[in-house]
Amino acid sequence: MRFSDFLIMLALLTGTAAAQSPAEITEIAKGFYSDDISLCVFDISLCVFDPALSDADLAALTRVNDGAHPWRQVSTWRVLHAGETVGAVFVDNVKGKARPITYLVAFDMNGEILGLEILRYRESHGGEIRSPMFRGQFEGKSYASTLRVGKDIRNISGATISSRAVTRGARALATFMHLLRQEGRLQ
Amino acid sequence: MIQLHVLSVILLLLLTAGFAMAQESSTSVGGYGELHYNEPEGSAKGQLDFHRFVVYLNHEFNDWIGFYSETEIEHTYVSDGENSGELSIEQALLEFRPWQNYGFRAGIMLPPVGIINLIHEPPTFHGVERPNFHRFIIPTTWREAGIGFYGAPLHNLQFQVYAVSSFTADGLSAGSGLRGGRQKAIRSSTADMGVTGRVDYMPMLGLSLGASFFTGGLGHGTPTLDNAGLTMLAADARYTAGRLQLRAEGAMVSISDAEAINAVYDNMVADRLNGWYAEAAYDVLPFFAETVQQLFVFGRYEMYDTQAETTGFDPIEAYDRSDVTIGLTYKPAANVAVKLDYQLFDDARDADERGQLNAGIGYAFF
């Protein structure tokens, strides 16, 4: 193999998901809060290996993830309005059938979901989860909700894997939000 | 020199594996499988068969190019004996998605006709065996090499359209319909290509409607079969509301110049095949326990006729068939299904119905 082939291979293999631009996130968040909000990067990591999270938190997260390994890196923003924190916006990836689905969830200070948006959908089937009919179901849901497909979230036939993946993600983020509020880290 | 080549391939594979692990999310595996027990009425003992064992191997090259594959072993192993199973590549394709809502695919793919050819993981359908409609009218699992375009012009409207290899006339048959005519992407003839496509529409949450088609020539250069061709039209609907699931599908296959095909191959091919089924399922577990598990009671009625219209000979009544299936699907987890059902097979002859008991387990993971 020539070295140039190797470099091409390397380039192909190391391609990573495009980052979401802050402008795009801000525009979407405005729809859920108001036009005069601003976002600032949250100065805590929500990675569950964060040493600040207790064993009980970890157990809670493992539980909401159905026992699956809960590691993931979540991008987080504090939402500011007139100098006050009015909510939090999370951008996360969940795995669909084969590829990641990038989505955003906006919470108010009570931990309730103001809205869920699909930022990038990469699979060839199942894109119906981008429909407002599906996403609207998450409004008002929180840590206290069941947040399960077939229970309080209605399934989309033909997009079951994607429906479940995003619902599982929203359930985990609602738990993150709950923990942040409980520990007073949003103030 | 050959050794060097092999070495470099091995090195490449190792590097690929290394980077895949380092990247964590760029390569993913998954799969599904199903173990079946079938006991026809009157037989003393039934048969156990690990019908399908499928492995998915997928890779993301970057944010817009992905590889997707399914490799299948049917009936556990492959030998050159009579009882051999089958090892096959069900899907192997590259997806290019340069735009947010539109993309291309090329490779071995599943023509998107009907529901189950495309979405066939055992926990996604009721009954141990796939509906016979999906065996005799739409010949699942149906795979061909092809290339095409897909997209979502609206949030609730998606389409896909592909050029794929067409069926061959010599493989069509009176009783099994199109199954033997599939080329399966093995040195497929491209003398007659086919076009297939599907539109998915979600008018409201819980209701999904689909329309799909395939059309292609059959002759592949055989002199008298220039006009031989096949067109398949299908429609499907799925509805879920709470614990209720409803689904219905229908399809019609028209074969042009069947007379000429029969003159060449003497295989009693019909001018028209058609079939449909309707199915209802209800999750009864909440009556007994508050749980995320599900227990569906379901019933399905299907009719399928591989000789609905013929020219030059009378249709064989035994091929005008109908099945009733009733059973249970227990899902202790969303992607694990334990199934039990009873089927009654009937046809247009006066003979008695035949029964069959089926039990099975199935799983899928992604």
Side-chain angles (χ1 to χ4, degrees), chain B residues 316-321 345-354:
Chain B
I316 297 169
E317 287 186 332
Y319 296 142
D320 180 4
R321 291 163 276 192
F345 305 115
D346 196 10
D347 58 48
R349 295 174 300 178
D350 290 332
D352 286 342
E353 298 174 337
R354 290 170 298 116

Side-chain angles (χ1 to χ4, degrees), chain B residues 17 31 34 56 76 81 91 93 161 174 205 255 288 303 348 363:
Chain B
E34 48 193 331
Y56 304 150
T76 64
Q91 293 193 69
L93 57 92
V161 59
L205 198 60
I255 296 173
F288 309 109
M303 289 182 78
Y363 64 87

Side-chain angles (χ1 to χ4, degrees), chain A residues 10 12 95 97-100 119 121-125 127-128 130 133 137 148 151 154 157 161 164, chain B residues 19 58 60-61 63 68 95 97 100-101 105 121 152 158 160 202 205 208 240 291-292 334 366:
Chain A
L10 196 68
L12 284 172
K95 187 169 168 261
K97 184 166 185 183
R99 316 189 69 182
L119 299 177
Y121 191 81
R122 299 169 179 84
E123 315 245 2
S124 53
H125 315 305
E128 292 96 335
R130 294 177 307 147
M133 290 184 270
Q137 298 185 98
R148 275 179 197 273
K151 301 293 176 186
R154 208 159 163 183
S157 301
I161 298 167
R164 283 210 192 101
Chain B
F19 277 108
N58 313 311
E60 290 215 281
F61 295 97
D63 202 39
Y68 181 77
E95 277 185 3
R97 194 164 182 154
Q100 166 77 327
N101 295 334
R105 319 172 89 193
E121 286 81 1
Q158 305 198 64
Q160 37 192 319
M202 184 174 79
L205 198 60
S208 297
T240 58
T291 170
V292 295
F366 308 101

Side-chain angles (χ1 to χ4, degrees), chain A residues 5-16, chain B residues 23 26 59-62 65:
Chain A
D5 291 349
F6 173 72
L7 285 182
I8 291 167
M9 202 62 187
L10 196 68
L12 284 172
L13 287 168
T14 51
T16 50
Chain B
Q23 284 272 304
S26 58
H59 185 74
E60 290 215 281
F61 295 97
N62 58 29
I65 305 176

Side-chain angles (χ1 to χ4, degrees), chain B residues 51-128:
Chain B
H51 193 153
R52 295 185 176 92
F53 175 83
V54 178
V55 177
Y56 304 150
L57 184 62
N58 313 311
H59 185 74
E60 290 215 281
F61 295 97
N62 58 29
D63 202 39
W64 62 280
I65 305 176
F67 170 75
Y68 181 77
S69 76
E70 284 187 24
T71 306
E72 173 171 46
I73 299 173
E74 281 198 28
H75 312 293
T76 64
Y77 72 100
V78 181
S79 71
D80 53 4
E82 262 184 27
N83 281 326
S84 176
E86 190 180 308
L87 174 67
S88 56
I89 297 172
E90 292 278 289
Q91 293 193 69
L93 57 92
L94 279 172
E95 277 185 3
F96 301 86
R97 194 164 182 154
W99 306 284
Q100 166 77 327
N101 295 334
Y102 299 93
F104 300 94
R105 319 172 89 193
I108 302 173
M109 56 179 66
L110 305 171
V113 182
I115 296 171
I116 290 183
N117 200 47
L118 216 52
I119 301 174
H120 46 236
E121 286 81 1
T124 65
F125 61 90
H126 296 292
V128 174

